[in-house]
């Protein structure tokens, strides 16, 4: 690991991780790539971020990640003598980071203090989890290379290793493995010592070491302090207390929480890091914790600690004592229900985990036949198994259907995503009812997928029906209604109804900022749609200002590699292109395109769109051969991923026609432009603004080819459909041969009047 400086696109210090020369064996490279991919999948404040990746001139892989100038969490807490509350609050953040990794289907497998660094940000301690070098993907392959573990090889650090890691080579593990390691770190934060004394680890026989990890139970933290002699004084001093008070503080809830996290039997352990964090939060709020078997006396003690003044005042009044007993009983029932709910959630989480492991493994070595499973094949396999593996559990079925559909959507695979959402929606309507908030959320997701597939009328109908029910049931300013309103506004812009879109999105962006805050993703999404509406009404100054603001906000909150940040950067470049700032546009487009290819893959719809935009900029710079090659590649990929009749495919065909026309290959160009015009008319409707612009494109090419009568005819078709850009027509050299034609002069005057009336 090296300290380095990144100079582009932002200047900052980074930690550069690379393989030493001579150590690039297949297994080492595979583990290295696994760590790089694991970190790239995650975006959480408590996990060190990956900024860039590549290979050295010698072909050795490297990646640049967030530089954490921190200390191991145990050393940080001891040096600053953090008390018990401060330590637990810091540890809860670590649990939330590990939970985020699990949600991305990544197990760390080597959690220990040296992999949990703490640094100060604005004088507040912030933990950062590093070193995912032995991470395991539950539901996806992290690297194209085969990543394997030799039989009997230890994966992780023995002192922090779970019993299942120490058994059978550590192959049968799940999310509760990381929970155990977190339990060891928690024990160390509480006591200042490891739960198992493995100081003589180097002298132990291998099998004896594994046996102790599997079978030897840890003492209670409070017992460990009592029997530690001089160490107990040091541990108490580091926690700003004395040994007697520290033992009293640990006894009870913290004993139970630590030992539940360290259960040898996985089924008795916390089901997830978030469950462990939730129990610690209950402890900090003086609420009953799930690790302790509930009893009336226990709930009374907790109640008294939470309401000391009220209990003291009511002690003198018998009526208040009765009320206290009643409230304790009610509280006991509530906690019992919470415990039952938590148990159900844990069982559901286990079912989901088992489903994922079963769905994403190749049980028969002959099944793969030497080929690697692609991400698409893995998702398809999981989607097919949902109904058979989870029969009779509709809520789990819908949960997994919607999760896999979201992954399909992120990969640009809209048709399988839509099919899954339709299946989930039928189940939700039957089980939860058509007006349940979850059902309406799925309905909005279905509308969005229809929109992505250019089924605009169906999408609009579904958006409006969803919005009407949400406003009626939840209120117009409810977050769900605001989100649906934003989606409807974005669709209106895509349909060419820019004034309507602007009106809707001005309202939803203001409502989003009030409901969520200025930097919330929903607020930024509404502003994103508003900027698109500004583009449609040629308000380029407003549009550029808004794209600049959005780019800075997303850069600050999401980082430079997030798809939303890259999308905004591409849109800012597009405004530069519109305004004729071609060098600025090309610089941003190339910068964003390289990152998008690395993050999203070469044939993702966003990447293909970015390629087409760059081709248009190159064409305006008269670099026609380079522009044509790039636009042809973009067109081929759009046909493959979106289909020949998708609007984006037809726009790419029209743009290619313009590039070919600029090279004076007029018959070929005119054929492309006529095909694009026919397709856009068929898909978007005769009145769409893009269709009017397609007529203008065709007229321009006809004029350049010397077909003046056809050019005037096509230009009149564009004007009749609302095209009103006199400056764009007057400045085009393609009209040079028509400047003195009375029909052209009359038509230009008509366009000028229409533009004035519009403004």
């Amino acid at each position: 690991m090296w300290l380095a400086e990144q100079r582009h696109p932002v200047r900052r210090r980074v930690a550069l991780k690379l393989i030493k020369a001579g150590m690039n064996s297949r297994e080492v490279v595979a583990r290295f790539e696994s760590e790089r991919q694991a970190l790239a999948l995650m975006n959480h404040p408590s996990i060190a971020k990956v900024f860039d990746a590549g290979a050295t001139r010698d072909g050795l892989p490297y990646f640049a990640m967030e530089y954490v100038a921190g200390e191991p969490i145990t050393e940080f807490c001891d040096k600053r003598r953090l008390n018990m509350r401060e330590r637990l609050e810091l540890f809860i953040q670590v649990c939330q980071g590990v939970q985020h990794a699990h949600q991305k289907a990544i197990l760390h497998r080597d959690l220990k203090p040296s992999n949990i660094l703490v640094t100060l940000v604005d004088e507040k301690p912030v933990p950062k989890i590093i070193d995912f070098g032995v991470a395991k993907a539950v539901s996806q392959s992290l690297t194209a290379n085969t990543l394997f573990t030799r039989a009997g090889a230890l994966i992780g650090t023995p002192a922090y290793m779970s019993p299942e890691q120490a058994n059978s080579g550590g192959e049968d593990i799940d999310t509760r493995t990381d929970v155990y390691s977190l339990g060891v770190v928690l024990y160390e934060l509480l006591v200042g010592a490891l739960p198992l004394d493995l100081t003589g680890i180097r002298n132990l026989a291998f099998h004896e070491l594994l046996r102790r990890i599997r079978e030897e139970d840890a003492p209670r933290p409070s017992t460990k302090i009592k029997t530690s002699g001089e160490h107990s004084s040091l541990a108490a001093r580091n926690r700003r207390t004395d040994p007697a008070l520290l033992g009293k503080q640990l006894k009870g809830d913290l004993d139970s929480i630590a030992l539940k996290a360290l259960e040898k039997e996985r089924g008795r352990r916390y089901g997830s890091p978030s469950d462990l964090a939730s129990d610690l939060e209950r402890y900090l709020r003086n609420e009953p914790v799930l690790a302790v078997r509930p009893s009336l006396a226990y709930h009374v003690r907790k109640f008294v600690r939470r309401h000391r003044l009220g209990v003291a005042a009511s002690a003198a009044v018998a009526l208040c004592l009765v009320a206290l007993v009643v409230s304790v009983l009610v509280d006991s029932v509530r906690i019992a229900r919470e415990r039952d709910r938590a148990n159900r959630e844990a069982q559901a989480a286990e079912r989901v985990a088992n489903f994922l492991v079963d769905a994403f493994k190749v049980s028969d070595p002959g099944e793969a036949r030497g080929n690697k499973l692609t991400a698409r094949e893995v998702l398809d396999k999981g989607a097919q198994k949902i109904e058979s593996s989870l029969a009779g559990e509709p809520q789990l079925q819908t949960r997994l259907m919607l999760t896999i559909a979201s992954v399909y959507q992120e990969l640009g695979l809209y048709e399988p995503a839509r099919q899954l959402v339709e299946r989930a929606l039928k189940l939700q309507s039957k089980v939860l009812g058509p007006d349940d908030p979850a059902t309406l959320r799925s309905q909005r997701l279905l509308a969005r997928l229809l929109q992505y597939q250019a089924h605009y009328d169906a999408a609009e109908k579904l958006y409006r029906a969803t919005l009407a029910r949400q406003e009626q049931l939840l209120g117009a300013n409810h977050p769900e209604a605001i989100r649906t309103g934003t989606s409807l506004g974005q669709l209106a812009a895509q349909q060419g109804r820019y004034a309507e879109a602007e009106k809707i999105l001005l309202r939803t962006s203001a409502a989003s900022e009030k409901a969520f805050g200025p930097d919330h993703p929903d607020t930024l999404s509404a502003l994103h749609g508003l900027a698109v509406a500004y583009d449609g009404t040629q308000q380029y100054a407003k549009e550029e200002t808004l794209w600049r603001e959005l780019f800075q906000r997303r850069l600050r909150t999401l980082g430079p590699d997030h798809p939303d940040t890259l999308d905004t950067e591409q849109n800012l470049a597009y405004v530069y292109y519109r305004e004729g700032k071609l060098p600025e546009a090309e610089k941003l487009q190339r910068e964003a395109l390289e990152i998008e290819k690395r993050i999203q893959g070469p044939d993702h719809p966003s990447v293909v769109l970015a390629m087409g935009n760059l081709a248009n900029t190159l064409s305006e710079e008269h670099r026609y051969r380079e522009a044509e090659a790039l636009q042809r590649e973009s067109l081929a990929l759009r046909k493959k991923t979106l289909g020949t009749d998708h609007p984006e495919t037809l726009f790419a065909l029209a743009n290619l026609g313009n590039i070919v026309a600029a090279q004076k290959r007029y018959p070929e160009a005119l054929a492309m432009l006529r095909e694009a015009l026919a397709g856009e008319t068929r898909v978007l409707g005769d009145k769409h603004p893009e269709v009017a612009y397609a007529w203008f494109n065709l007229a321009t090419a006809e004029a350049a080819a010397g077909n003046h009568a056809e050019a005037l005819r096509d230009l009149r078709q564009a004007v009749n459909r609302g095209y009103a850009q006199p400056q764009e027509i007057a400045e085009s050299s393609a009209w040079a041969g028509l400047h003195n034609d009375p029909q052209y002069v009359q038509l230009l005057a008509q366009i000028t009047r229409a533009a004035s009336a519009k403004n």
Side-chain angles (χ1 to χ4, degrees):
M1 184 78 75
W2 299 83
L3 177 62
E5 182 181 58
Q6 182 182 6
R7 296 182 177 176
H8 185 76
V10 293
R11 197 180 187 97
R12 59 189 165 196
R13 291 200 299 174
V14 299
L16 190 66
K17 191 163 186 177
L18 64 149
I19 297 176
K20 292 180 181 179
M23 294 183 63
N24 54 333
S25 66
R26 186 178 71 162
E27 184 177 357
V28 171
V29 171
R31 290 206 180 281
F32 187 88
E33 291 181 354
S34 172
E35 178 180 8
R36 183 169 69 184
Q37 184 61 21
L39 287 168
L41 286 171
M42 293 177 284
N43 181 24
H44 192 276
S46 294
I47 297 177
K49 297 181 177 65
V50 167
F51 295 135
D52 199 3
T56 66
R57 293 177 181 174
D58 298 327
L60 296 174
Y62 73 85
F63 63 91
M65 61 187 292
E66 179 182 0
Y67 171 63
V68 183
E71 303 170 89
I73 187 169
T74 48
E75 293 180 17
F76 181 93
C77 293
D78 287 348
K79 283 183 180 180
R80 289 157 182 78
R81 299 182 62 196
L82 299 190
N83 62 29
M84 198 63 72
R85 173 173 285 275
E86 292 166 337
R87 289 167 183 256
L88 294 178
E89 288 174 346
L90 191 60
F91 180 75
I92 287 168
Q93 295 180 55
V94 176
C95 291
Q96 291 166 347
V98 179
Q99 180 69 29
H100 174 79
H102 289 180
Q103 289 170 343
K104 296 294 182 180
I106 303 297
L107 309 182
H108 191 288
R109 297 203 291 174
D110 194 21
L111 289 166
K112 56 186 176 182
S114 60
N115 284 340
I116 305 169
L117 302 183
V118 182
T119 185
L120 291 174
V121 178
D122 297 329
E123 299 304 317
K124 293 182 179 180
V126 176
K128 293 284 183 179
I129 305 168
I130 63 169
D131 199 355
F132 278 76
V134 295
K136 177 182 179 182
V138 174
S139 63
Q140 56 194 301
S141 174
L142 292 178
T143 172
N145 296 324
T146 301
L147 184 60
F148 65 93
T149 301
R150 289 187 298 272
L154 280 178
I155 298 300
T157 304
Y160 299 88
M161 184 182 294
S162 68
E164 56 268 26
Q165 281 178 284
N167 188 36
S168 303
E171 296 173 5
D172 179 25
I173 64 171
D174 57 24
T175 55
R176 293 166 295 185
T177 290
D178 282 348
V179 171
Y180 185 94
S181 299
L182 286 170
V184 179
V185 176
L186 173 62
Y187 197 102
E188 215 173 343
L189 287 172
L190 297 177
V191 177
L194 291 167
L196 298 181
D197 184 9
L198 299 176
T199 52
I201 186 172
R202 294 183 180 177
N203 299 322
L204 288 175
F206 183 72
H207 65 86
E208 175 62 16
L209 168 67
L210 298 184
R211 186 198 65 76
R212 289 184 61 183
I213 293 171
R214 291 194 302 267
E215 299 177 8
E216 190 172 318
D217 289 324
R220 291 178 175 273
S222 58
T223 304
K224 188 88 168 181
I225 282 293
K226 286 180 183 178
T227 58
S228 293
E230 293 182 2
H231 171 77
S232 62
S233 299
L234 176 62
R237 188 163 58 252
N238 287 340
R239 289 152 184 77
R240 300 207 302 269
T241 185
D242 60 65
L245 287 176
L246 178 58
K248 186 177 179 182
Q249 198 172 14
L250 294 172
K251 189 175 182 179
D253 286 356
L254 290 179
D255 276 344
S256 299
I257 291 173
L259 294 184
K260 184 173 177 64
L262 293 171
E263 284 280 3
K264 299 296 182 186
E265 187 181 333
R266 278 182 291 184
R268 298 172 62 84
R269 215 176 289 161
Y270 286 106
S272 68
S274 64
D275 290 345
L276 171 57
S278 296
D279 234 7
L280 289 171
E281 287 170 342
R282 292 186 191 96
Y283 167 78
L284 292 176
R285 293 194 301 264
N286 280 322
E287 294 178 359
V289 300
L290 300 183
V292 175
R293 186 174 299 228
S295 69
L296 183 59
Y298 174 72
H299 288 302
V300 169
R301 285 199 306 273
K302 286 295 180 182
F303 186 91
V304 170
R305 286 180 184 174
R306 293 201 305 274
H307 308 287
R308 296 181 187 217
L309 293 177
V311 172
S314 62
V317 184
L319 182 61
C320 291
L321 286 174
V322 174
L324 173 62
V325 173
V326 172
S327 66
V328 168
L329 290 173
V330 171
D331 203 20
S332 181
V333 171
R334 180 180 63 80
I335 295 302
R337 287 175 179 170
E338 281 187 11
R339 186 184 68 256
D340 292 342
R341 182 191 59 78
N343 288 336
R344 287 195 301 271
E345 283 293 320
Q347 291 170 1
E350 186 173 1
R351 288 297 307 276
V352 170
N354 291 337
F355 168 82
L356 291 173
V357 171
D358 182 57
F360 299 156
K361 73 181 179 183
V362 180
S363 56
D364 178 5
E367 185 177 337
R369 296 184 178 89
N371 298 321
K372 298 172 183 174
L373 287 176
T374 66
R376 173 67 186 273
E377 289 169 337
V378 168
L379 287 170
D380 289 348
K381 185 177 179 183
Q384 291 166 6
K385 291 178 70 69
I386 289 175
E387 290 184 1
S388 59
S389 297
L390 298 172
E393 298 189 59
Q395 290 185 330
L396 281 182
Q397 286 180 333
T398 57
R399 184 171 163 185
L400 277 167
M401 285 176 184
L402 294 172
T403 299
I404 295 178
S406 296
V407 178
Y408 274 132
Q409 178 189 324
E410 290 299 320
L411 293 174
L413 303 171
Y414 302 132
E415 178 58 25
R418 181 180 64 80
Q419 292 175 8
L420 267 182
V421 174
E422 286 176 342
R423 287 162 57 191
L425 192 55
K426 286 181 180 178
L427 276 174
Q428 285 179 313
S429 297
K430 181 179 179 181
V431 175
L432 303 176
D435 289 340
D436 187 87
T439 306
L440 294 173
R441 276 197 301 274
S442 299
Q443 203 164 285
R444 181 177 63 232
L445 176 57
L446 177 58
R448 184 181 301 120
L449 291 166
L450 289 168
Q451 179 182 350
Y452 288 159
Q453 293 185 288
H455 302 311
Y456 297 134
D457 291 341
E460 181 179 359
K461 182 179 179 181
L462 199 53
Y463 275 139
R464 290 191 181 280
T466 305
L467 181 60
R469 295 304 294 156
Q470 287 173 332
E471 288 183 339
Q472 181 180 356
L473 298 168
L474 306 173
N477 292 320
H478 190 277
E480 292 297 334
I482 294 171
R483 293 185 182 108
T484 306
T486 294
S487 297
L488 182 61
Q490 291 169 338
L491 177 63
Q494 203 164 8
Q495 291 174 299
R497 306 198 309 270
Y498 301 116
E500 179 187 347
E502 181 179 348
K503 181 179 178 181
I504 294 172
L505 292 164
L506 278 170
R507 184 189 70 79
T508 62
S509 60
S512 292
E513 183 163 353
K514 185 176 180 181
F516 308 119
D519 288 338
H520 191 277
D522 287 313
T523 303
L524 300 182
S525 177
L527 291 172
H528 186 111
L530 181 59
V532 173
Y534 285 152
D535 182 79
T537 52
Q538 288 88 44
Q539 299 181 68
Y540 298 134
K542 280 186 178 180
E543 183 186 3
E544 180 181 342
T545 300
L546 192 48
W547 284 131
R548 281 181 177 277
E549 181 183 347
L550 274 171
F551 182 54
Q552 291 304 318
R553 287 198 202 179
R554 283 176 165 162
L555 198 63
R556 183 177 68 252
T557 58
L558 302 176
D561 292 353
H562 194 280
D564 289 348
T565 306
L566 296 168
D567 189 27
T568 308
E569 188 174 11
Q570 288 285 7
N571 280 302
L572 178 58
Y574 182 72
V575 178
Y576 287 156
Y577 163 80
R578 287 277 215 180
E579 295 174 327
K581 302 174 183 177
L582 301 180
E584 294 94 328
E586 182 185 349
K587 178 177 179 296
L588 282 183
Q589 285 170 336
R590 288 190 183 278
E591 182 180 281
L593 180 57
E594 286 306 308
I595 302 174
E596 286 179 315
K597 282 182 178 179
R598 174 168 56 82
I599 298 296
Q600 298 178 300
D603 56 356
H604 191 278
S606 296
V607 174
V608 179
L609 178 63
M611 290 168 59
N613 287 342
L614 176 58
N616 292 339
T617 301
L618 294 173
S619 178
E620 287 296 312
E621 293 177 319
H622 306 295
R623 292 153 64 182
Y624 297 123
R625 288 188 179 180
E626 189 179 352
E628 182 179 347
L630 193 58
Q631 194 65 266
R632 284 188 184 279
E633 183 181 359
S634 173
L635 176 60
L637 287 170
R638 290 190 209 203
K639 286 181 178 179
K640 175 185 172 184
T641 58
L642 300 175
T644 55
D645 269 353
H646 195 281
E648 295 294 341
T649 305
L650 298 168
F651 297 157
L653 178 62
N655 289 332
L656 179 60
N658 290 335
I659 294 170
V660 172
Q663 299 174 77
K664 299 184 180 180
R665 290 162 27 212
Y666 297 120
E668 183 183 357
L670 289 170
M672 290 179 181
L673 291 169
R674 286 171 185 146
E675 182 183 348
L677 172 61
E680 289 179 39
T681 303
R682 182 174 63 253
V683 173
L684 300 174
D686 193 47
K687 301 301 181 182
H688 196 283
E690 290 293 344
V691 173
Y693 188 70
W695 277 108
F696 169 71
N697 269 342
L698 181 59
T700 303
E702 294 278 18
N707 305 329
H708 292 176
E710 290 84 351
L712 281 172
R713 178 200 65 201
D714 295 340
L715 183 59
R716 190 171 287 108
Q717 293 285 354
V719 173
N720 291 342
R721 286 162 178 78
Y723 184 79
Q725 296 295 318
Q727 185 176 356
E728 190 171 352
I729 296 174
E731 290 178 355
S732 175
S733 60
W735 300 97
L738 292 176
H739 283 168
N740 297 320
D741 189 304
Q743 292 185 57
Y744 168 74
V745 173
Q746 182 181 6
L747 196 55
L748 185 59
Q750 180 183 344
I751 297 170
T752 304
R753 287 194 301 273
S756 299
K758 187 176 181 180
N759 295 330

